Amino acid sequence: ACLSHSKSLSDEENLKLFGKCNNPNGHGHNYKVVVTVRGEIDPVSGMVMNLTDLKEYMQEAIMEPLDHKNLDKDVPYFSEVVSTTENVAVFIWDSLQKLLPQGILYKVEVHETEQNVVVYKGEETIVK
């Protein structure tokens, strides 16, 4: 669930900014997350990274803190940060960066819907 309600804005400004996603009591989302890594291909394994390891890192960085959670109430990061899809992407990036080998994380995509996709590469956020 996410709030899409900024404490810095009035109720009217929140409604104008977030539209139907504005709800001080939160609302649910089923996000799809795509993580892209890059690097040299290991000559022995033939992989940039062991996918089993990547899945474990994703479990720890994404599923454990976020799955079936009210982002604004259950995830400390979002007590001060508005839980937009953009900020969810930043949270996932930062969480994965702490676990993955340095320089291997390339891109985090968070799909809120088929049409709403946020791409984060650590510096700028791209909304598709």
Side-chain angles (χ1 to χ4, degrees):
C2 70
L3 194 62
S4 294
H5 184 88
S6 174
K7 297 172 193 167
S8 306
L9 301 172
S10 69
D11 287 348
E12 186 177 307
E13 290 170 319
N14 270 293
L15 189 59
K16 187 175 180 183
L17 182 62
F18 297 116
K20 67 180 181 177
C21 283
N22 174 233
N23 184 347
N25 297 320
H27 62 280
H29 278 286
N30 287 321
Y31 296 102
K32 175 180 154 189
V33 178
V34 179
V35 174
T36 305
V37 295
R38 69 175 176 185
E40 296 290 320
I41 297 173
D42 183 283
V44 176
S45 71
M47 296 184 279
V48 171
M49 178 177 193
N50 184 315
L51 290 181
T52 302
D53 292 344
L54 180 57
K55 285 179 184 176
E56 287 177 10
Y57 293 139
M58 289 175 70
Q59 178 69 29
E60 184 177 340
I62 303 167
M63 301 306 288
E64 287 174 16
L66 302 179
D67 192 32
H68 289 88
K69 298 285 193 314
N70 181 317
L71 298 184
D72 302 295
K73 294 179 179 175
D74 300 332
V75 183
Y77 179 89
F78 292 107
S79 64
E80 297 298 322
V81 175
V82 182
S83 57
T84 59
T85 307
E86 290 88 339
N87 284 332
V88 171
V90 172
F91 173 84
I92 291 170
W93 173 277
D94 290 346
S95 299
L96 282 169
Q97 279 284 67
K98 294 172 188 168
L99 300 172
L100 290 168
Q102 190 169 355
I104 201 169
L105 183 59
Y106 175 66
K107 181 170 66 173
V108 169
E109 289 181 37
V110 180
H111 299 243
E112 181 181 356
T113 66
E114 291 278 327
Q115 290 79 31
N116 296 346
V117 181
V118 169
V119 178
Y120 187 66
K121 294 181 175 180
E123 294 174 3
E124 60 186 30
T125 307
I126 302 161
V127 180
K128 294 182 183 177

